[in-house]
Structures are given as structure tokens and as C-alpha cells.
Amino acid sequence: MDRTKLHKLEDILAITICAVICNCDTWNEIQDFGEAHKDWFKTFLELPNGIPSHDTFGRVLAALNPDDFERCFQAWIADLAGTTQGKLIAIDGKAIRRSIDRASGKAAVHLVSAWVHENHAVFGQLAVDDKSNEITAIPKLLDMLKLKDATVTIDAIGCQKDIAQRYADAKAIMCWPSKATRAHCMTI
């Protein structure tokens, strides 16, 4: 209903992204962050009815499809930072600190990320399924990136035939650790 739309989606998303980057974890913290930085936000956002309430942040973000939002966000970041083509990309998996929930019996969250050295930024990141390992997430992550002429470094766990074929298809240079030398690199 148009009469109930008091805030612009892009305003809500911009405030939320900035707040989360600054370690805000709850809808109340995001609202407080928005209020504390309202003058700054007004320099590039419309904010026709001020900063949305914590309930509005929660309602709007709950209505978004996470996969669609992730695709749009990655496209936006790629547009801002440029392509990964021809750059140095480090693929690595990490367990997120304090993500384990022993009371609920939930394991720690494991992510596989693609760090682009020239941009000092993560260009892609995927969670590893609970009953899996990095090997299943790496191919999906590689499919998200433009690897042509890129040099990609990866742990030994990533040296699988399927993953190597993705490098070959993308015409990338693959580097992996070795006991004998610091790293092996090859153009596939």
C-alpha cells in the first residue's frame, strides 16, 4: 500500500549496510546508528520521513530474499570496485570467531572468501554447509568471479580436479602451497 510507504528502500539498505559495517547487530542499534549519523546520511540519502524505526528495519530486511539481495549487493560492489579480471585473488576458508552455539548444538560458521589484493576487499564469500567442507563451496565461489588472467592462490584443499578445471575454463593462473617451494604456479 503506497500510503504506508514512509521510507525509501535504498535509504533503509544504505543505513543498514553502514551500520552493520560499524558492528551494529540489532535493529535497535541500526536505528540508533542512523539517528547518530542522520546529518551525514542526509548528504546522499533522501530520508523523506527521517530515520526509519527499528521495527521498519526488521520488517523490510525480513521481507528481502537473501539470495537475491546477495546477488544485487555483489553486483553493486563489483561495479564500485571493478572487476577481478587480471588481479591477484586469494581464496581461503575461515571459521567465524564466536559463531559456535554449544547450547543449541550448532557448529561454528565456516566461510570461504575471495580476497582481491589490489582492491583490499572481499569480492565473494560463501558459507560452507554444515555437513560439508570448503571443497563444495569453492567451485560456487569461483563461478561468482571473473577469473580471466587472474592469479588465484588457494590452500592445498582447493587443489581438486573440478576446481582446477574451473581455472582452466577461466584462463586463470593457479597457485597453491608446496612443501618444496613457497608456491607452485601454473597457467592452465
Side-chain angles (χ1 to χ4, degrees), residues 15-103:
I15 294 167
T16 302
I17 290 167
C18 291
V20 169
I21 288 171
C22 292
N23 286 329
C24 294
D25 292 325
T26 67
W27 304 126
N28 286 328
E29 289 176 355
I30 292 170
Q31 178 184 353
D32 292 345
F33 180 87
E35 294 290 351
H37 299 89
K38 187 176 182 177
D39 292 338
W40 178 69
F41 281 121
K42 281 188 167 190
T43 64
F44 61 94
L45 299 177
E46 290 185 31
L47 300 174
N49 291 295
I51 301 296
S53 71
H54 63 278
D55 289 331
T56 300
F57 282 110
R59 212 174 21 256
V60 170
L61 274 290
L64 294 178
N65 178 307
D67 293 332
D68 290 342
F69 179 76
E70 181 181 19
R71 272 191 295 283
C72 291
F73 187 76
Q74 287 173 340
W76 175 64
I77 292 296
D79 202 37
L80 288 175
T83 182
T84 54
Q85 186 172 336
K87 296 185 177 178
L88 176 60
I89 304 169
I91 306 290
D92 196 16
K94 296 285 181 217
I96 304 303
R97 291 181 63 196
R98 298 187 213 157
S99 64
I100 192 167
D101 186 357
R102 289 191 175 106

Coordinates of all heavy atoms in Angstrom, one line a residue, residues 15-103:
I15 N 21.6 2.7 5.2 CA 21.8 2.8 6.6 C 22.1 1.5 7.2 O 23.1 1.4 8.0 CB 20.5 3.4 7.3 CG1 20.3 4.9 6.8 CG2 20.6 3.4 8.8 CD1 18.9 5.4 7.2
T16 N 21.4 0.4 6.8 CA 21.7 -0.9 7.4 C 23.1 -1.4 7.0 O 23.8 -1.8 7.9 CB 20.7 -1.9 6.8 OG1 19.4 -1.5 7.2 CG2 20.9 -3.3 7.4
I17 N 23.5 -1.2 5.8 CA 24.9 -1.7 5.4 C 25.9 -0.9 6.2 O 26.9 -1.5 6.7 CB 25.1 -1.5 3.9 CG1 24.2 -2.5 3.1 CG2 26.5 -1.7 3.5 CD1 24.1 -2.3 1.6
C18 N 25.8 0.4 6.3 CA 26.8 1.2 7.0 C 26.8 0.8 8.5 O 27.9 0.7 9.1 CB 26.4 2.7 6.9 SG 26.7 3.4 5.2
A19 N 25.6 0.6 9.1 CA 25.5 0.2 10.5 C 26.2 -1.1 10.7 O 26.9 -1.3 11.7 CB 24.1 0.2 10.9
V20 N 25.9 -2.1 9.9 CA 26.5 -3.4 10.1 C 28.0 -3.4 9.9 O 28.7 -4.1 10.7 CB 25.8 -4.4 9.1 CG1 26.5 -5.8 9.1 CG2 24.3 -4.6 9.5
I21 N 28.5 -2.6 8.9 CA 29.9 -2.5 8.8 C 30.6 -1.9 10.1 O 31.7 -2.3 10.4 CB 30.3 -1.6 7.6 CG1 29.9 -2.4 6.3 CG2 31.7 -1.1 7.6 CD1 30.0 -1.5 5.0
C22 N 29.8 -1.1 10.8 CA 30.3 -0.5 12.0 C 29.9 -1.3 13.2 O 29.8 -0.8 14.3 CB 29.8 0.9 12.1 SG 30.5 2.0 10.9
N23 N 29.6 -2.6 13.1 CA 29.4 -3.5 14.1 C 28.0 -3.4 14.8 O 27.9 -3.9 16.0 CB 30.5 -3.5 15.2 CG 31.8 -4.1 14.7 OD1 31.7 -5.1 13.9 ND2 32.9 -3.6 15.2
C24 N 27.0 -2.9 14.2 CA 25.7 -2.9 14.8 C 25.1 -4.3 14.5 O 25.2 -4.8 13.4 CB 24.8 -1.8 14.2 SG 25.4 -0.2 14.6
D25 N 24.5 -4.9 15.6 CA 24.0 -6.2 15.4 C 22.5 -6.3 15.5 O 21.9 -7.4 15.1 CB 24.6 -7.1 16.6 CG 26.1 -7.4 16.4 OD1 26.5 -7.5 15.2 OD2 26.8 -7.5 17.4
T26 N 21.8 -5.3 16.1 CA 20.4 -5.4 16.3 C 19.7 -4.3 15.5 O 20.3 -3.3 15.2 CB 20.0 -5.3 17.8 OG1 20.3 -4.0 18.2 CG2 20.8 -6.4 18.6
W27 N 18.4 -4.5 15.3 CA 17.6 -3.4 14.7 C 17.6 -2.1 15.5 O 17.7 -1.0 14.9 CB 16.2 -3.9 14.4 CG 16.0 -5.1 13.7 CD1 15.4 -6.3 14.0 CD2 16.6 -5.4 12.4 NE1 15.5 -7.2 13.1 CE2 16.3 -6.8 12.0 CE3 17.4 -4.7 11.5 CZ2 16.7 -7.4 10.9 CZ3 17.9 -5.3 10.3 CH2 17.5 -6.6 10.0
N28 N 17.6 -2.2 16.8 CA 17.7 -1.0 17.7 C 19.0 -0.3 17.4 O 19.1 0.9 17.4 CB 17.5 -1.4 19.1 CG 16.1 -1.7 19.5 OD1 15.2 -1.1 18.9 ND2 15.9 -2.6 20.4
E29 N 20.1 -1.1 17.4 CA 21.4 -0.5 17.1 C 21.5 0.2 15.8 O 22.1 1.2 15.6 CB 22.5 -1.5 17.3 CG 22.8 -2.0 18.7 CD 23.8 -3.1 18.8 OE1 24.3 -3.6 17.7 OE2 24.1 -3.6 19.9
I30 N 20.9 -0.4 14.8 CA 20.9 0.2 13.4 C 20.1 1.5 13.4 O 20.6 2.5 12.9 CB 20.3 -0.8 12.4 CG1 21.3 -2.0 12.2 CG2 20.1 -0.2 11.1 CD1 20.7 -3.2 11.4
Q31 N 19.0 1.5 14.1 CA 18.2 2.8 14.2 C 19.0 3.8 14.9 O 19.1 5.0 14.5 CB 16.9 2.5 14.9 CG 16.1 3.8 15.1 CD 14.8 3.7 15.9 OE1 14.4 2.5 16.3 NE2 14.2 4.8 16.2
D32 N 19.6 3.4 16.1 CA 20.5 4.4 16.8 C 21.6 4.9 16.0 O 21.9 6.1 16.0 CB 21.0 3.7 18.1 CG 19.9 3.4 19.1 OD1 18.8 4.0 19.0 OD2 20.2 2.6 20.0
F33 N 22.3 4.0 15.2 CA 23.3 4.4 14.3 C 22.8 5.5 13.3 O 23.5 6.5 13.1 CB 23.9 3.2 13.6 CG 25.0 3.5 12.7 CD1 26.4 3.6 13.1 CD2 24.8 3.8 11.3 CE1 27.4 3.9 12.3 CE2 25.9 4.0 10.5 CZ 27.1 4.1 10.9
G34 N 21.7 5.2 12.7 CA 21.1 6.1 11.7 C 20.8 7.4 12.3 O 21.1 8.5 11.8
E35 N 20.2 7.4 13.5 CA 20.0 8.7 14.2 C 21.2 9.5 14.6 O 21.3 10.7 14.4 CB 19.2 8.5 15.5 CG 17.8 7.9 15.3 CD 16.8 8.9 14.7 OE1 17.1 10.1 14.6 OE2 15.7 8.4 14.4
A36 N 22.3 8.8 15.0 CA 23.5 9.4 15.4 C 24.2 10.0 14.1 O 25.0 11.0 14.3 CB 24.5 8.4 16.1
H37 N 24.0 9.5 13.0 CA 24.7 9.9 11.7 C 23.7 10.5 10.7 O 24.0 10.6 9.5 CB 25.4 8.8 11.1 CG 26.5 8.2 12.0 ND1 26.3 7.2 12.9 CD2 27.8 8.6 12.2 CE1 27.4 7.0 13.6 NE2 28.3 7.8 13.1
K38 N 22.6 11.0 11.2 CA 21.5 11.5 10.4 C 22.0 12.6 9.4 O 21.7 12.6 8.2 CB 20.3 12.0 11.2 CG 19.1 12.3 10.4 CD 18.0 12.7 11.4 CE 16.7 13.0 10.7 NZ 15.6 13.3 11.6
D39 N 22.7 13.6 10.0 CA 23.2 14.7 9.2 C 24.1 14.2 8.0 O 24.0 14.7 6.9 CB 24.0 15.7 10.0 CG 23.0 16.4 11.0 OD1 21.8 16.5 10.7 OD2 23.6 16.9 12.0
W40 N 24.9 13.2 8.3 CA 25.8 12.7 7.2 C 24.9 11.9 6.2 O 25.1 12.1 5.0 CB 26.8 11.8 7.8 CG 27.7 11.1 6.8 CD1 28.6 11.7 6.0 CD2 27.7 9.7 6.4 NE1 29.3 10.8 5.2 CE2 28.7 9.6 5.4 CE3 27.0 8.6 6.9 CZ2 29.0 8.3 4.8 CZ3 27.3 7.4 6.3 CH2 28.3 7.3 5.3
F41 N 24.0 11.1 6.6 CA 23.2 10.4 5.7 C 22.4 11.3 4.8 O 22.1 11.0 3.6 CB 22.2 9.4 6.4 CG 22.9 8.1 6.9 CD1 22.9 7.8 8.2 CD2 23.5 7.3 6.0 CE1 23.5 6.6 8.6 CE2 24.1 6.1 6.4 CZ 24.1 5.8 7.7
K42 N 21.9 12.5 5.3 CA 21.1 13.4 4.6 C 22.0 14.0 3.4 O 21.4 14.6 2.5 CB 20.6 14.5 5.4 CG 19.4 14.1 6.2 CD 18.8 15.3 6.9 CE 17.4 15.0 7.5 NZ 16.7 16.1 7.9
T43 N 23.3 13.9 3.4 CA 24.1 14.4 2.3 C 24.0 13.6 1.1 O 24.3 14.1 0.0 CB 25.6 14.5 2.7 OG1 26.1 13.3 3.0 CG2 25.8 15.5 3.9
F44 N 23.5 12.3 1.2 CA 23.4 11.5 0.0 C 22.1 10.6 0.0 O 21.8 10.0 -1.0 CB 24.6 10.6 -0.2 CG 24.9 9.6 0.9 CD1 24.4 8.3 0.9 CD2 25.6 10.0 2.0 CE1 24.7 7.4 1.9 CE2 25.9 9.1 3.1 CZ 25.4 7.8 3.0
L45 N 21.3 10.7 1.0 CA 20.0 10.0 1.0 C 18.9 11.0 1.1 O 19.1 12.1 1.6 CB 19.9 9.0 2.2 CG 21.0 7.9 2.3 CD1 20.8 7.1 3.6 CD2 20.9 7.0 1.1
E46 N 17.7 10.6 0.7 CA 16.6 11.5 0.7 C 16.0 11.6 2.1 O 15.6 12.7 2.6 CB 15.5 11.1 -0.3 CG 16.0 11.3 -1.7 CD 14.9 11.0 -2.7 OE1 13.7 11.2 -2.4 OE2 15.2 10.6 -3.8
L47 N 15.8 10.5 2.8 CA 15.2 10.4 4.1 C 13.9 11.3 4.3 O 13.9 12.2 5.1 CB 16.2 10.8 5.2 CG 17.5 9.9 5.3 CD1 18.5 10.5 6.2 CD2 17.1 8.5 5.6
P48 N 12.9 11.0 3.4 CA 11.7 11.9 3.4 C 11.0 12.0 4.8 O 10.4 13.0 5.1 CB 10.8 11.3 2.4 CG 11.3 9.9 2.2 CD 12.7 9.9 2.5
N49 N 11.1 10.9 5.6 CA 10.5 10.9 6.9 C 11.5 10.6 8.0 O 11.2 9.9 9.0 CB 9.3 9.9 6.9 CG 8.2 10.4 6.1 OD1 7.6 11.4 6.4 ND2 7.9 9.7 5.0
G50 N 12.7 11.0 7.8 CA 13.8 10.8 8.8 C 14.3 9.3 8.8 O 14.1 8.6 7.8
I51 N 14.9 8.9 9.9 CA 15.4 7.6 10.1 C 14.3 6.6 10.4 O 13.5 6.9 11.3 CB 16.5 7.6 11.2 CG1 17.7 8.6 10.9 CG2 17.0 6.2 11.4 CD1 18.5 8.3 9.6
P52 N 14.2 5.5 9.7 CA 13.2 4.5 10.0 C 13.3 4.0 11.4 O 14.4 4.0 12.0 CB 13.4 3.4 9.0 CG 14.3 4.0 7.9 CD 15.1 5.1 8.6
S53 N 12.2 3.4 11.9 CA 12.3 2.8 13.2 C 12.9 1.4 13.2 O 13.1 0.8 12.1 CB 10.8 2.6 13.8 OG 10.2 1.6 13.0
H54 N 13.3 0.9 14.3 CA 13.9 -0.4 14.4 C 12.9 -1.5 13.8 O 13.3 -2.4 13.2 CB 14.4 -0.8 15.8 CG 13.3 -0.9 16.8 ND1 12.8 0.3 17.4 CD2 12.6 -1.9 17.3 CE1 11.8 -0.1 18.2 NE2 11.7 -1.4 18.2
D55 N 11.6 -1.3 14.1 CA 10.6 -2.2 13.5 C 10.6 -2.2 12.0 O 10.5 -3.2 11.3 CB 9.2 -1.9 14.1 CG 9.1 -2.3 15.5 OD1 9.8 -3.2 16.0 OD2 8.3 -1.6 16.2
T56 N 10.8 -1.0 11.4 CA 10.8 -0.9 10.0 C 12.0 -1.6 9.4 O 11.9 -2.3 8.4 CB 10.7 0.6 9.5 OG1 9.5 1.2 10.1 CG2 10.8 0.7 8.0
F57 N 13.2 -1.4 10.0 CA 14.4 -2.0 9.5 C 14.1 -3.6 9.5 O 14.4 -4.3 8.6 CB 15.6 -1.7 10.4 CG 16.2 -0.4 10.1 CD1 16.1 0.7 11.0 CD2 16.9 -0.1 8.9 CE1 16.6 1.9 10.7 CE2 17.4 1.1 8.6 CZ 17.3 2.1 9.5
G58 N 13.6 -4.1 10.6 CA 13.4 -5.5 10.8 C 12.4 -6.1 9.8 O 12.7 -7.1 9.1
R59 N 11.3 -5.4 9.6 CA 10.3 -5.8 8.7 C 10.7 -5.8 7.2 O 10.5 -6.8 6.5 CB 9.0 -4.9 8.9 CG 7.7 -5.5 8.6 CD 6.5 -4.6 9.0 NE 6.8 -3.1 9.0 CZ 6.9 -2.4 10.1 NH1 6.8 -2.9 11.3 NH2 7.0 -1.1 10.0
V60 N 11.4 -4.7 6.8 CA 11.9 -4.6 5.4 C 13.0 -5.7 5.1 O 12.9 -6.4 4.1 CB 12.4 -3.2 5.1 CG1 13.1 -3.1 3.8 CG2 11.2 -2.2 5.2
L61 N 13.9 -5.8 6.0 CA 15.0 -6.8 5.8 C 14.5 -8.2 5.8 O 15.0 -9.0 5.1 CB 16.2 -6.5 6.8 CG 17.2 -5.5 6.4 CD1 18.0 -5.9 5.2 CD2 16.7 -4.1 6.2
A62 N 13.5 -8.5 6.7 CA 12.9 -9.8 6.7 C 12.2 -10.2 5.4 O 12.1 -11.3 5.1 CB 12.0 -9.9 7.9
A63 N 11.7 -9.2 4.7 CA 10.9 -9.4 3.5 C 11.8 -9.6 2.3 O 11.4 -10.1 1.3 CB 10.0 -8.2 3.2
L64 N 13.1 -9.3 2.4 CA 14.0 -9.4 1.3 C 14.5 -10.9 1.1 O 14.7 -11.6 2.1 CB 15.3 -8.6 1.4 CG 15.1 -7.1 1.4 CD1 16.4 -6.4 1.6 CD2 14.4 -6.6 0.1
N65 N 14.6 -11.4 -0.1 CA 15.1 -12.7 -0.4 C 16.6 -12.6 -0.2 O 17.3 -11.8 -1.0 CB 14.7 -13.1 -1.8 CG 15.3 -14.4 -2.2 OD1 16.5 -14.7 -2.1 ND2 14.5 -15.3 -2.6
P66 N 17.2 -13.3 0.7 CA 18.7 -13.2 0.9 C 19.6 -13.5 -0.3 O 20.6 -12.8 -0.5 CB 19.0 -14.2 2.0 CG 17.7 -14.7 2.5 CD 16.6 -14.3 1.6
D67 N 19.2 -14.5 -1.1 CA 20.0 -14.8 -2.3 C 19.9 -13.7 -3.3 O 20.9 -13.3 -3.9 CB 19.5 -16.1 -2.9 CG 19.8 -17.3 -2.0 OD1 20.7 -17.3 -1.2 OD2 19.0 -18.3 -2.1
D68 N 18.7 -13.2 -3.5 CA 18.6 -12.0 -4.5 C 19.4 -10.8 -4.0 O 20.0 -10.1 -4.8 CB 17.1 -11.7 -4.7 CG 16.4 -12.7 -5.5 OD1 17.0 -13.6 -6.1 OD2 15.1 -12.7 -5.4
F69 N 19.3 -10.5 -2.7 CA 20.0 -9.4 -2.1 C 21.5 -9.6 -2.3 O 22.2 -8.7 -2.6 CB 19.6 -9.2 -0.6 CG 20.4 -8.1 0.0 CD1 20.0 -6.8 -0.3 CD2 21.5 -8.3 0.8 CE1 20.7 -5.7 0.3 CE2 22.2 -7.2 1.4 CZ 21.8 -5.9 1.1
E70 N 22.0 -10.8 -2.0 CA 23.4 -11.1 -2.2 C 23.9 -10.8 -3.6 O 24.9 -10.2 -3.8 CB 23.7 -12.5 -1.7 CG 25.2 -12.9 -1.8 CD 25.5 -14.3 -1.4 OE1 24.6 -15.1 -1.4 OE2 26.7 -14.6 -1.2
R71 N 23.1 -11.3 -4.6 CA 23.5 -11.1 -6.0 C 23.5 -9.6 -6.3 O 24.5 -9.1 -6.9 CB 22.5 -11.8 -6.9 CG 22.9 -13.3 -7.2 CD 22.1 -13.9 -8.3 NE 20.7 -14.0 -8.0 CZ 20.1 -14.9 -7.2 NH1 20.9 -15.8 -6.6 NH2 18.9 -15.0 -6.9
C72 N 22.5 -8.9 -5.9 CA 22.5 -7.4 -6.1 C 23.7 -6.7 -5.4 O 24.3 -5.8 -6.0 CB 21.2 -6.8 -5.7 SG 19.8 -7.4 -6.7
F73 N 23.9 -7.1 -4.2 CA 25.0 -6.5 -3.4 C 26.3 -6.8 -4.1 O 27.2 -5.9 -4.2 CB 25.0 -7.0 -2.0 CG 26.0 -6.3 -1.1 CD1 25.7 -5.0 -0.6 CD2 27.2 -6.9 -0.7 CE1 26.6 -4.4 0.2 CE2 28.1 -6.2 0.1 CZ 27.8 -5.0 0.5
Q74 N 26.6 -8.0 -4.5 CA 27.8 -8.3 -5.2 C 28.0 -7.6 -6.5 O 29.1 -7.1 -6.8 CB 27.9 -9.8 -5.4 CG 28.2 -10.6 -4.2 CD 28.1 -12.1 -4.4 OE1 27.5 -12.6 -5.3 NE2 28.7 -12.8 -3.4
A75 N 26.9 -7.4 -7.2 CA 27.0 -6.7 -8.5 C 27.3 -5.2 -8.2 O 28.1 -4.6 -8.9 CB 25.6 -6.8 -9.2
W76 N 26.7 -4.7 -7.2 CA 27.0 -3.3 -6.8 C 28.4 -3.1 -6.4 O 29.1 -2.1 -6.8 CB 26.0 -2.9 -5.6 CG 26.3 -1.5 -5.1 CD1 26.1 -0.3 -5.7 CD2 26.7 -1.2 -3.8 NE1 26.4 0.7 -4.9 CE2 26.8 0.2 -3.7 CE3 27.0 -2.0 -2.6 CZ2 27.1 0.9 -2.5 CZ3 27.3 -1.3 -1.5 CH2 27.4 0.1 -1.4
I77 N 28.9 -4.0 -5.6 CA 30.3 -3.9 -5.1 C 31.3 -4.0 -6.3 O 32.2 -3.3 -6.5 CB 30.7 -5.0 -4.1 CG1 29.9 -4.7 -2.8 CG2 32.2 -5.1 -3.8 CD1 30.3 -3.4 -2.1
A78 N 31.0 -5.0 -7.2 CA 31.8 -5.2 -8.4 C 31.8 -3.9 -9.3 O 32.8 -3.5 -9.8 CB 31.3 -6.4 -9.2
D79 N 30.6 -3.3 -9.3 CA 30.5 -2.0 -10.1 C 31.3 -0.9 -9.5 O 32.0 -0.1 -10.2 CB 29.0 -1.6 -10.2 CG 28.7 -0.7 -11.3 OD1 29.3 -0.9 -12.4 OD2 27.9 0.2 -11.2
L80 N 31.4 -0.9 -8.2 CA 32.1 0.2 -7.5 C 33.6 -0.1 -7.6 O 34.4 0.8 -7.8 CB 31.7 0.2 -6.0 CG 30.4 0.8 -5.6 CD1 30.2 0.7 -4.1 CD2 30.3 2.3 -6.0
A81 N 34.0 -1.3 -7.3 CA 35.4 -1.7 -7.2 C 36.1 -2.1 -8.5 O 37.3 -2.2 -8.6 CB 35.6 -2.7 -6.1
G82 N 35.3 -2.5 -9.5 CA 35.8 -3.0 -10.7 C 35.8 -4.5 -10.8 O 35.4 -5.2 -9.8
T83 N 36.4 -5.1 -11.8 CA 36.4 -6.5 -12.0 C 37.5 -7.2 -11.3 O 38.5 -6.5 -11.0 CB 36.4 -6.8 -13.5 OG1 36.3 -8.2 -13.7 CG2 37.6 -6.2 -14.2
T84 N 37.4 -8.5 -11.1 CA 38.5 -9.3 -10.6 C 39.5 -9.8 -11.7 O 40.5 -10.3 -11.4 CB 38.0 -10.5 -9.9 OG1 37.1 -11.2 -10.8 CG2 37.2 -10.1 -8.6
Q85 N 39.1 -9.5 -12.9 CA 39.9 -10.0 -14.1 C 41.3 -9.4 -14.0 O 41.5 -8.2 -13.9 CB 39.2 -9.6 -15.4 CG 39.9 -10.1 -16.6 CD 39.1 -9.8 -17.9 OE1 37.9 -9.6 -17.8 NE2 39.8 -9.8 -19.0
G86 N 42.3 -10.3 -14.1 CA 43.7 -10.0 -14.2 C 44.3 -9.6 -12.8 O 45.4 -9.1 -12.8
K87 N 43.6 -9.8 -11.7 CA 44.1 -9.4 -10.4 C 44.5 -10.6 -9.6 O 44.3 -11.8 -10.0 CB 43.0 -8.6 -9.7 CG 42.6 -7.3 -10.4 CD 41.6 -6.5 -9.6 CE 41.4 -5.2 -10.4 NZ 40.4 -4.4 -9.7
L88 N 45.1 -10.3 -8.5 CA 45.5 -11.4 -7.5 C 44.4 -11.7 -6.6 O 43.9 -10.8 -5.8 CB 46.8 -11.0 -6.8 CG 47.3 -11.9 -5.7 CD1 47.6 -13.3 -6.3 CD2 48.5 -11.3 -4.9
I89 N 43.9 -12.9 -6.6 CA 42.8 -13.3 -5.7 C 43.2 -14.4 -4.8 O 43.7 -15.4 -5.3 CB 41.6 -13.8 -6.6 CG1 41.2 -12.7 -7.6 CG2 40.4 -14.2 -5.7 CD1 40.3 -13.2 -8.7
A90 N 43.0 -14.3 -3.5 CA 43.3 -15.3 -2.5 C 42.0 -15.9 -2.1 O 41.1 -15.3 -1.6 CB 44.0 -14.7 -1.4
I91 N 41.9 -17.2 -2.3 CA 40.7 -18.0 -1.8 C 41.1 -18.7 -0.5 O 42.1 -19.4 -0.4 CB 40.3 -19.1 -2.9 CG1 40.1 -18.5 -4.3 CG2 39.1 -19.9 -2.4 CD1 38.9 -17.6 -4.4
D92 N 40.3 -18.5 0.5 CA 40.6 -19.1 1.8 C 39.4 -19.3 2.6 O 38.4 -18.5 2.5 CB 41.6 -18.2 2.6 CG 42.3 -18.9 3.7 OD1 42.3 -20.1 3.8 OD2 42.8 -18.2 4.6
G93 N 39.4 -20.3 3.4 CA 38.3 -20.6 4.3 C 38.6 -20.3 5.8 O 39.8 -20.5 6.2
K94 N 37.7 -19.8 6.5 CA 37.9 -19.5 7.9 C 36.6 -19.8 8.7 O 35.5 -19.6 8.2 CB 38.2 -18.0 8.1 CG 39.5 -17.5 7.5 CD 40.7 -18.0 8.3 CE 42.0 -17.5 7.6 NZ 43.0 -18.4 7.6
A95 N 36.8 -20.2 10.0 CA 35.7 -20.3 10.9 C 35.5 -19.0 11.6 O 36.5 -18.3 11.9 CB 36.0 -21.4 12.0
I96 N 34.3 -18.5 11.6 CA 34.0 -17.2 12.2 C 34.1 -17.3 13.8 O 33.4 -18.2 14.4 CB 32.6 -16.7 11.8 CG1 32.5 -16.7 10.3 CG2 32.3 -15.4 12.4 CD1 33.5 -15.9 9.6
R97 N 34.8 -16.5 14.4 CA 35.0 -16.5 15.8 C 33.7 -16.3 16.5 O 32.8 -15.5 16.0 CB 36.0 -15.4 16.2 CG 37.4 -15.7 15.8 CD 38.3 -14.6 16.3 NE 38.4 -14.6 17.7 CZ 38.8 -13.6 18.4 NH1 39.3 -12.5 17.8 NH2 38.8 -13.6 19.7
R98 N 33.5 -17.0 17.6 CA 32.3 -16.8 18.4 C 31.0 -17.2 17.7 O 29.9 -16.8 18.1 CB 32.2 -15.5 19.0 CG 33.4 -15.1 19.9 CD 33.1 -13.8 20.6 NE 34.4 -13.2 20.8 CZ 34.6 -11.9 21.0 NH1 33.5 -11.1 21.0 NH2 35.8 -11.4 21.2
S99 N 31.1 -17.9 16.6 CA 29.9 -18.3 15.9 C 29.3 -19.7 16.4 O 28.2 -20.0 16.0 CB 30.1 -18.3 14.4 OG 31.0 -19.3 14.1
I100 N 30.1 -20.4 17.2 CA 29.6 -21.7 17.7 C 28.6 -21.4 18.8 O 28.7 -20.5 19.6 CB 30.8 -22.5 18.2 CG1 30.4 -23.9 18.5 CG2 31.4 -21.9 19.5 CD1 31.5 -24.9 18.7
D101 N 27.5 -22.3 18.8 CA 26.5 -22.2 19.8 C 26.3 -23.6 20.4 O 25.5 -24.4 20.0 CB 25.2 -21.7 19.1 CG 24.1 -21.4 20.1 OD1 24.3 -21.7 21.3 OD2 23.0 -21.0 19.7
R102 N 27.1 -23.8 21.5 CA 27.1 -25.1 22.1 C 25.7 -25.4 22.7 O 25.3 -26.6 22.8 CB 28.2 -25.2 23.1 CG 29.6 -25.3 22.5 CD 30.7 -25.6 23.5 NE 31.9 -25.8 22.7 CZ 32.9 -24.9 22.8 NH1 32.8 -23.8 23.5 NH2 34.0 -25.1 22.1
A103 N 25.1 -24.4 23.3 CA 23.7 -24.6 23.9 C 22.7 -25.2 22.9 O 21.9 -26.0 23.3 CB 23.3 -23.3 24.5

